[in-house]
Every structure is written in structure tokens, then in C-alpha cells.
């Protein structure tokens, strides 16, 4: 029964909140002092962009689960079509993401998954 170990859930919630919330507040405090064109902010943007690109590349090249069973050409094609849709839709992220997901889903359905 989940009531027996309720303290574990409380501990996880508090520890998760403490681990992330302090960095959010420090970011707010530091962000007030940064200029939008500062080198520090450019570095943060570059690191964030690189992390997102690395996660996407990992999902494409070394996937897990059902995605692992899909062919590489399908994963690369979904990303390519998503990027094309993103740029044709005036750089609206939701359009690119939805197109890539729809392409991947259609390809997996066509493959018999």
C-alpha cells in the first residue's frame, strides 16, 4: 500500500525541489545583471543548443525501445522533413516537431510496428 511509504514520496519531492529550485532562483538573480548581448549569455545559449543537439543526435543514432527497431533512414527522414516544415512555417517549433513525429509514426506504421 502506498500509504506505508509516503515519507519516501515526500523526500523525493522535497529533494527534487531543492536540487532544481535554487538554480532557478540563482538564474533569476544573475539574469537581472546580464546584458542580452553579453558573452556570458552567448555562452549559455551555445551550451544549451549543443546539449539539445546532442540529445537529438543520440536519439537518432543510438535509440532505445521501439525506436531502436526503426531503420536509420526513417529516423533521419523524419528529422529532415521536420526541419523543412519548421523553416517553411516561419520557424514555428510546434510545426517542425509535429511533422517529424507524424513522419516517424507513419513510417513505423508502414513498416508494420
Amino acid at each position: 500500500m502506498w500509504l506505508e511509504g509516503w515519507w519516501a514520496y515526500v523526500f523525493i519531492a522535497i529533494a527534487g525541489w531543492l536540487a532544481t529550485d535554487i538554480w532557478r532562483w540563482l538564474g533569476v538573480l544573475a539574469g537581472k545583471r546580464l546584458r542580452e548581448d553579453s558573452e556570458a549569455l552567448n555562452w549559455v545559449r551555445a551550451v544549451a543548443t549543443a546539449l539539445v543537439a546532442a540529445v537529438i543526435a543520440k536519439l537518432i543514432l543510438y535509440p532505445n525501445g521501439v525506436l531502436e527497431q526503426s531503420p536509420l533512414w526513417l529516423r533521419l527522414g523524419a528529422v529532415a522533413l521536420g526541419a523543412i516544415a519548421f523553416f517553411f512555417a516561419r520557424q514555428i517549433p510546434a510545426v517542425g516537431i509535429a511533422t517529424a513525429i507524424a513522419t516517424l509514426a507513419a513510417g513505423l506504421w508502414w513498416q508494420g510496428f
Side-chain angles (χ1 to χ4, degrees):
M1 200 164 142
W2 74 273
L3 288 175
E4 293 174 6
W6 65 270
W7 56 269
Y9 296 108
V10 172
F11 177 77
I12 290 170
I14 292 172
W17 174 76
L18 287 175
T20 60
D21 207 45
I22 190 165
W23 296 110
R24 291 179 186 156
W25 282 106
L26 287 173
V28 168
L29 294 174
K32 289 181 179 180
R33 297 184 182 126
L34 288 175
R35 291 188 340 263
E36 195 170 325
D37 60 343
S38 70
E39 285 298 316
L41 201 53
N42 285 338
W43 180 80
V44 169
R45 284 186 191 130
V47 170
T49 302
L51 286 172
V52 170
V55 168
I56 292 170
K58 184 185 180 309
L59 285 172
I60 294 169
L61 298 175
Y62 305 106
N64 293 321
V66 175
L67 198 57
E68 185 177 22
Q69 298 170 5
S70 66
L72 178 62
W73 63 264
L74 178 60
R75 297 189 303 263
L76 291 173
V79 170
L81 286 176
I84 291 168
F86 169 75
F87 287 113
F88 276 126
R90 299 185 194 150
Q91 298 184 357
I92 299 173
V95 173
I97 293 168
T99 302
I101 290 172
T103 303
L104 187 60
L108 289 172
W109 176 79
W110 184 67
Q111 292 278 318
F113 287 98

